[in-house]
Amino acid sequence: MNESKRVLSGMRPSGKLHLGNLMGALKNWKELQDEGYHCHYFVADWHALTTDYEDTKEIKENVMEMAVDWLCAGLDPGKSTLFVQSWVPEHAELHLMLSMVVPLPWLERNPTFKEQLKEIEGKEIFNYGFLGYPVLQAADIIIYKAHYVPVGADQLPHLELTREIVRRFNNLYREVFPEPEALLTEYPKLPGTDGRKMSKSYDNAIYLSDPPDVVREKIRTMMTDPARARRKDPGNPEICPVFDFHKVFSSPEQISWAEKGCKTAGIGCVDCKKVMGDNLASEMKPYFEKRAEIASKPEKVAEMLREGSDRARKEAGKTLKEAREAMNI
Ligand code: TRP
Ligand code: SF4
């Protein structure tokens, strides 16, 4: 049953992936793959250009780093089609065709567009390509006639826009594309080491490429409940980022030990972090080892992406033909 349903998702090549990416998006992608869906996962390098067109030096390397992490996380090129967006130029042609039928106000009112224009500092992104970001995303999705798109909540407006574009295209010409549905990814709460959202740009992330000692060291220096300035001061685990990690990586006994010990000042933060840090380091060790092995053979990774992209091109080409015929072009 699942075999007949197509799943598609993409990630912008931000370089090495962190624990938040692993426990959220990647874990979910792997589950869908293992449940037998026909999965397509790609590195959205053109989308990276929309905000980073001025400095493109690292894009290629970031694409490769990301692919290495995907393999580490268990995405399997024998089961899923793993590819690079710009290696499947069919996306660009469909994007162009869609751009003819998308009314400008749909794009101007896109909340992501408005937010990012305000938020992204030091980059000039008031560009044609940036405005069209969701049109390219729609092309990415519908060129595989995807049924499901696993994404985080921030991407829901883009998915809604994709559905609107599909309806408009199908009405204007003929029924070519199914309306894709978002599959909302649940992210466990895993803040960065400073308590803010885990992010590469805050320099507070734990990476799949971090060796076990680095993982332990990052946890050792992690922020805690500031109320526990001294060993005898009790704390509140619910506001401590270390405790968020306990909830994901520790046993039920360890969790209640940490909770009680924190509230009664029965344990110190050093002990508390030690237990969690050891759990995390051993959980992550297999990824680290696998990563080192995969990263040592970059040509194999590139070849895997080439094969995946060829497969994707075949599928995309078929849909493109239908779209051209529908548009009489
Ligand atoms: N916009 C997505 C993000 O920033 C990445 C992306 C590009 C994507 N094309 C896609 C996600 C198609 C899902 C489907 O995370
Ligand atoms: Fe956080 Fe543990 Fe310290 Fe409590 S004891 S503040 S949960 S590190």
Side-chain angles (χ1 to χ4, degrees):
M1 178 59 202
N2 292 350
E3 289 81 54
S4 59
K5 293 289 182 190
R6 284 179 298 275
V7 166
L8 173 133
S9 199
M11 263 186 215
R12 275 183 292 175
S14 50
K16 287 186 213 166
L17 292 178
H18 57 61
L19 193 60
N21 307 126
L22 175 70
M23 300 304 287
L26 284 178
K27 198 159 167 258
N28 191 242
W29 288 12
K30 177 172 159 33
E31 277 165 15
L32 291 163
Q33 162 192 285
D34 295 343
E35 284 162 18
Y37 288 96
H38 183 21
C39 297
H40 306 72
Y41 299 126
F42 71 97
V43 188
D45 56 347
W46 275 330
H47 275 114
L49 285 183
T50 59
T51 49
D52 294 320
Y53 63 91
E54 281 178 292
D55 184 5
T56 59
K57 283 191 297 297
E58 289 175 2
I59 288 193
K60 275 205 188 111
E61 194 184 315
N62 286 346
V63 168
M64 288 301 156
E65 293 270 15
M66 183 165 264
V68 170
D69 280 329
W70 285 6
L71 295 173
C72 261
L75 296 188
D76 176 351
K79 294 183 185 161
S80 298
T81 304
L82 308 178
F83 65 100
V84 181
Q85 185 183 35
S86 70
W87 297 2
V88 186
E90 285 77 3
H91 290 221
E93 187 175 335
L94 185 60
H95 167 245
L96 178 84
M97 285 154 72
L98 296 180
S99 75
M100 306 302 165
V101 307
V102 178
L104 260 190
W106 289 10
L107 302 178
E108 286 163 344
R109 67 167 192 239
N110 166 24
T112 324
F113 176 67
K114 290 197 278 189
E115 271 161 36
Q116 299 225 30
L117 271 189
K118 268 192 262 147
E119 270 171 29
I120 298 189
E121 284 165 22
K123 286 185 198 169
E124 183 48 71
I125 56 169
F126 195 54
N127 292 346
Y128 181 50
F130 184 62
L131 181 70
Y133 187 111
V135 184
L136 179 57
Q137 182 159 349
D140 296 337
I141 297 169
I142 69 178
I143 204 159
Y144 302 101
K145 299 191 176 181
H147 300 100
Y148 300 119
V149 185
V151 282
D154 62 314
Q155 295 295 314
L156 292 180
H158 290 162
L159 248 290
E160 211 33 62
L161 203 58
T162 302
R163 293 162 61 88
E164 284 178 285
I165 295 173
V166 164
R167 286 197 288 270
R168 189 162 160 83
F169 187 100
N170 289 348
N171 278 332
L172 282 170
Y173 310 109
R174 76 168 98 103
E175 196 81 21
V176 174
F177 303 109
E179 270 184 54
E181 268 174 60
L183 294 180
L184 196 58
T185 309
E186 299 282 347
Y187 282 83
K189 188 173 174 222
L190 290 173
T193 49
D194 58 1
R196 292 188 292 173
K197 183 176 152 54
M198 189 182 290
S199 161
K200 195 175 179 190
S201 49
Y202 293 154
D203 197 18
N204 64 2
I206 297 169
Y207 293 97
L208 271 64
S209 56
D210 285 342
D213 327 343
V214 173
V215 172
R216 281 195 206 90
E217 182 56 20
K218 284 186 175 175
I219 296 303
R220 198 183 63 79
T221 54
M222 193 164 180
M223 202 197 92
T224 60
D225 175 3
R228 297 215 65 188
R230 282 158 303 185
R231 171 72 173 73
K232 65 177 173 39
D233 301 326
N236 175 7
E238 289 308 326
I239 61 163
C240 176
V242 176
F243 194 63
D244 289 321
F245 276 68
H246 267 301
K247 286 191 213 157
V248 180
F249 299 105
S250 298
S251 68
E253 295 74 34
Q254 290 170 328
I255 296 171
S256 59
W257 166 84
E259 187 172 15
K260 263 190 231 116
C262 180
K263 286 182 181 159
T264 58
I267 60 169
C269 290
V270 177
D271 316 316
C272 183
K273 288 169 159 182
K274 172 91 177 58
V275 169
M276 190 282 282
D278 285 345
N279 292 344
L280 180 63
S282 48
E283 177 102 11
M284 290 186 68
K285 193 164 170 240
Y287 292 103
F288 169 73
E289 288 170 351
K290 197 165 165 198
R291 197 181 196 288
E293 192 195 311
I294 296 170
S296 71
K297 300 185 192 105
E299 18 10 276
K300 276 187 86 171
V301 178
E303 191 185 302
M304 177 285 285
L305 287 173
R306 224 171 301 122
E307 279 172 13
S309 303
D310 286 345
R311 236 188 301 156
R313 287 197 73 173
K314 289 211 181 77
E315 265 187 77
K318 279 192 206 140
T319 315
L320 196 54
K321 188 160 173 282
E322 282 179 61
R324 282 199 206 120
E325 281 166 9
M327 273 183 123
N328 298 312
I329 220 77

